[in-house]
Amino acid sequence: MRQTPAAYPLTWRIMDGLEAFVAFAWPARLGAAIPWLMLAPALLLVGLLVIGLVQIGDVSFRTLDPSTYRMSENYTIANYQRAFTESLFATVATRSLLGALIVTVVTLVLAFPYTYLMVRTPNAMLRKLLLTALFLPFFIGQVVRAYGWLIILGNQGMVNEALGLVGVEPLRLLYNYPAVLFGLVQYMLPFAVLMLAPALSAIPEELEAAAESLGANWVRTFTHVVLPLARPGLVGAGLVVLTLSLTDFAMPAILGGGSQDFIANAIYDQFFRTSDQGLGSTLALLLVAAGSLLVGLVIALFGAGTLALSRVRR
Amino acid sequence: MTAPRSKSIVLWTFVISVLVLLSAPTIVVIGASFTSGNMIAFPPEGLSLKWYAKIAQATELWDAFLRSLYAAAICTIIAIPAGTLAGIALAKYPIRFATSVQMYLLLPFTIPLIGSGIGLMLVFGEARLLGQLWPVGVAVCVINLPFMIWAVSASAASLDPDLELAAANCGAPPLSTFIHVTIPGVMPGIISGSLLMFILALNEFLVSLLLVDARIVTLPVQIYNSIRSIITPDLAAVSVVFVACAVAAVFLLDRLVGLEIFLKSK
């Protein structure tokens, strides 16, 4: 009897073969392991990071021998003593932490109205415009954005040229602390808005209408209704902005011009300028610890509910 | 319901300043790339395409761009299967220690980028893999992997489990069900996730900086190295390449899944 190919096409035969192979290679009684099998590649990839942290930990206990430029064989805590006693690192850490706090507050203040309008506007075109304006810089990358600021704020940049037209002496707008913070705020805005958006769109518009119908003006409605309900989103966004700006490298490097180093820059310099891998690893490990401490602190203060949100969005 | 005038004024003042803040560097870079002068200046000294003609011949810039594309491709190719399977597993199966697994898979976001980069540099250095380009792709994949997992698991969570049961009920074996029902169901997540992975890998700066040497610099590192010496408009023309990629990515993301999905509360 002649069987037409259309009746049982080749792709079906291949699928049959594959099904038989799967059934053979993975009998039903091992079914409970299937999710773990599916998770395996991702677990292995992230495992690289864990091995990396272990390596950092190992190197952090070795000191650099200045005569041979090799790392010592035996473990010491000398690097940790240096990290905590040398004033340079205290200065850098204070500068980073203070900067990150300022950046977080400014970013949240700027991001909140933007997010609010974005989720509340009935105008679909406006919403699309606001979203596009948000995603473009997010996708353009830090280096190009910092380069844009160099053109705008440089000594012969746009702002100074414009000031020159009205007879003002050129101002030194770059390579100082405010320039770095300014660049960081711009860098963090998309992260903050994207984390605030789900929290704000979860607030029912009727609640605001209710508050207003009870006689509250918009300022009172905002401080007594919107702001408290948005707290989980604000905490999540603040946490993300704080850790990302605390650990940033590019903005201090480009807009700070080497004089405004943050912790990440100090770590980089230990590895690539002084070649002291031990001290660099120590600083990196301390930074990782500080970051974890921040996350832990926020969970302890505000509950794990905030993390459920920050868990899925950076 | 009309908002009071004072509210509108306050709201729009903030929104317009943020819009300016977000867009200014992009617009200025695009403008500067068309200048006919030698130094970047405002107001521009006239229009010309000469910097584009110059970068068209700059082979080192093109090589760096191709290397960035290559690393981003490696990153995406690894992320798609790894992130898709993990995302589906997290959303659809009851897993023991699910919270711990989630925390573990979030490590790339909780470990500061400089820590991850240095760690991977030490690991790849130990394995004598530094100086090649594909480890850069792997590294960038690792640090952004949660984006892919999150995108897929959000899609998978909204997929009705009855669909898979129906397919099985109609006689489809497990693999067929997976390929013909589950995968098409989570396709929006796979698309948006892989797009994010690709564009973020293309722009990745710090991890690239730590893992590349002078022979295999990627484009962001090349730009970084150049702006530290002297600022010339040809870099603006190169940066416009990134702007164009970002515009394409935003457009694709909007057409394929819609930007509005990022506004939804779960």
Side-chain angles (χ1 to χ4, degrees):
Chain A
M1 199 177 80
R2 186 174 155 273
Q3 200 175 25
T4 56
Y8 205 77
L10 185 64
T11 46
W12 293 17
R13 288 166 198 275
I14 294 173
M15 279 306 293
D16 280 351
L18 283 175
E19 296 283 1
F21 174 75
V22 168
F24 167 76
W26 206 261
R29 66 197 147 82
L30 290 179
I34 282 184
W36 290 103
L37 193 73
M38 291 168 77
L39 281 172
L43 294 178
L44 284 176
L45 280 171
V46 179
L48 284 175
L49 281 188
V50 178
I51 303 173
L53 279 188
V54 173
Q55 287 263 20
I56 293 179
D58 179 79
V59 178
S60 75
F61 287 107
R62 299 168 190 274
T63 48
L64 183 76
D65 184 348
S67 56
T68 57
Y69 267 89
R70 291 252 178 86
M71 303 310 293
S72 64
E73 288 295 321
N74 48 336
Y75 292 126
T76 83
I77 57 159
N79 288 324
Y80 288 87
Q81 283 167 338
R82 280 187 64 191
F84 281 110
T85 49
E86 280 183 30
S87 64
L88 168 71
F89 302 126
T91 315
V92 170
T94 317
R95 182 191 293 138
S96 318
L97 198 59
L98 185 71
L101 284 171
I102 298 173
V103 168
T104 307
V105 172
V106 175
T107 308
L108 287 183
V109 168
L110 288 175
F112 201 94
Y114 192 91
T115 320
Y116 182 85
L117 186 71
M118 193 166 76
V119 298
R120 280 294 150 84
T121 178
N123 186 338
M125 284 295 287
L126 176 64
R127 183 175 307 125
K128 188 79 82 191
L129 171 83
L130 294 177
L131 272 167
T132 310
L134 200 67
F135 271 95
L136 263 186
F138 185 49
F139 282 173
I140 282 173
Q142 255 185 307
V143 179
V144 173
R145 282 199 261 169
Y147 174 60
W149 289 124
L150 287 185
I151 301 177
I152 297 174
L153 302 174
N155 275 345
Q156 275 130 3
M158 287 171 55
V159 172
N160 271 325
E161 294 273 332
L163 286 177
L165 293 181
V166 291
V168 179
E169 287 290 302
L171 301 171
R172 192 179 146 84
L173 300 167
L174 272 180
Y175 310 131
N176 51 28
Y177 198 44
V180 175
L181 300 189
F182 182 74
L184 277 174
V185 167
Q186 201 259 356
Y187 172 51
M188 293 299 155
L189 273 170
F191 290 106
V193 173
L194 286 180
M195 288 214 48
L196 279 174
L200 285 193
S201 58
I203 301 174
E205 217 169 339
E206 293 78 14
L207 280 183
E208 284 172 64
E212 267 154 33
S213 75
L214 291 172
N217 63 16
W218 69 269
V219 180
R220 272 180 71 88
T221 309
F222 177 76
T223 50
H224 284 76
V225 177
V226 182
L227 215 48
L229 285 170
R231 203 182 70 163
L234 278 171
V235 172
L239 174 70
V240 167
V241 173
L242 187 69
T243 41
L244 283 183
S245 47
L246 180 67
T247 60
D248 192 57
F249 175 87
M251 289 299 168
I254 299 174
L255 297 180
S259 64
Q260 305 294 332
D261 282 358
F262 273 31
I263 303 173
N265 309 79
I267 296 171
Y268 181 87
D269 283 352
Q270 287 303 326
F271 272 89
F272 292 93
R273 293 252 167 82
T274 9
S275 309
D276 190 345
Q277 296 210 349
L279 189 56
S281 298
T282 306
L283 295 174
L285 205 64
L286 289 174
L287 183 63
V288 172
S292 316
L293 204 70
L294 270 176
V295 177
L297 199 70
V298 168
I299 296 174
L301 283 177
F302 298 96
T306 49
L307 192 77
L309 207 97
S310 61
R311 181 180 286 161
V312 286
R313 285 153 209 259
R314 170 128 75 159
Chain B
M1 192 180 77
T2 51
R5 176 182 289 261
S6 59
K7 181 180 178 181
S8 303
I9 292 174
V10 173
L11 203 56
W12 278 98
T13 313
F14 271 104
V15 170
I16 287 171
S17 3
V18 172
L19 270 178
V20 169
L21 196 58
L22 283 173
S23 322
T26 316
I27 293 168
V28 165
V29 164
I30 295 175
S33 72
F34 290 107
T35 183
S36 63
N38 272 325
M39 272 310 289
I40 288 174
F42 180 84
E45 294 166 26
L47 291 176
S48 93
L49 288 172
K50 71 175 181 180
W51 298 109
Y52 287 92
K54 197 179 166 210
I55 61 161
Q57 285 154 7
T59 47
E60 60 186 32
L61 288 175
W62 279 112
D63 288 347
F65 181 56
L66 290 179
R67 282 192 287 264
S68 282
L69 280 181
Y70 177 80
I74 298 261
C75 160
T76 317
I77 288 168
I78 299 172
I80 289 176
T84 305
L85 290 175
I88 294 174
L90 281 180
K92 299 198 77 70
Y93 294 95
I95 301 172
R96 266 198 203 206
F97 317 118
T99 322
S100 316
V101 171
Q102 277 176 342
M103 297 287 267
Y104 174 85
L105 289 176
L106 272 172
L107 279 180
F109 283 1
T110 47
I111 300 175
L113 218 46
I114 182 89
S116 308
I118 296 274
L120 290 169
M121 182 181 87
L122 294 176
V123 170
F124 289 143
E126 195 95 326
R128 310 223 167 276
L129 293 173
L130 286 182
Q132 299 177 54
L133 205 49
W134 66 264
V136 180
V138 176
V140 177
C141 174
V142 172
I143 56 159
N144 286 323
L145 194 62
F147 277 121
M148 185 79 204
I149 299 176
W150 159 71
V152 174
S153 70
S155 259
S158 62
L159 183 68
D160 191 343
D162 286 349
L163 284 176
E164 286 165 3
L165 293 179
N169 200 23
C170 292
L175 190 65
S176 307
T177 311
F178 186 76
I179 292 176
H180 295 296
V181 178
T182 315
I183 292 289
V186 299
M187 203 40 111
I190 299 180
I191 289 172
S192 55
S194 43
L195 206 63
L196 272 178
M197 293 298 287
F198 186 83
I199 197 79
L200 292 176
L202 197 65
N203 293 322
E204 177 50 46
F205 164 63
L206 180 54
V207 170
S208 282
L209 180 71
L210 293 171
L211 292 179
V212 300
D213 58 29
R215 289 171 298 117
I216 57 159
V217 288
T218 55
L219 192 50
V221 179
Q222 174 91 24
I223 296 178
Y224 172 73
N225 288 338
S226 315
I227 52 180
R228 286 197 306 173
S229 43
I230 186 156
I231 301 176
T232 51
D234 58 340
L235 282 178
V238 180
S239 304
V240 171
V241 174
F242 276 114
V243 177
C245 291
V247 170
V250 171
F251 179 76
L252 274 176
L253 199 61
D254 190 36
R255 288 304 294 270
L256 294 173
V257 292
L259 292 177
E260 284 82 3
I261 62 158
F262 293 94
L263 299 182
K264 277 197 207 117
S265 59
K266 289 202 308 154

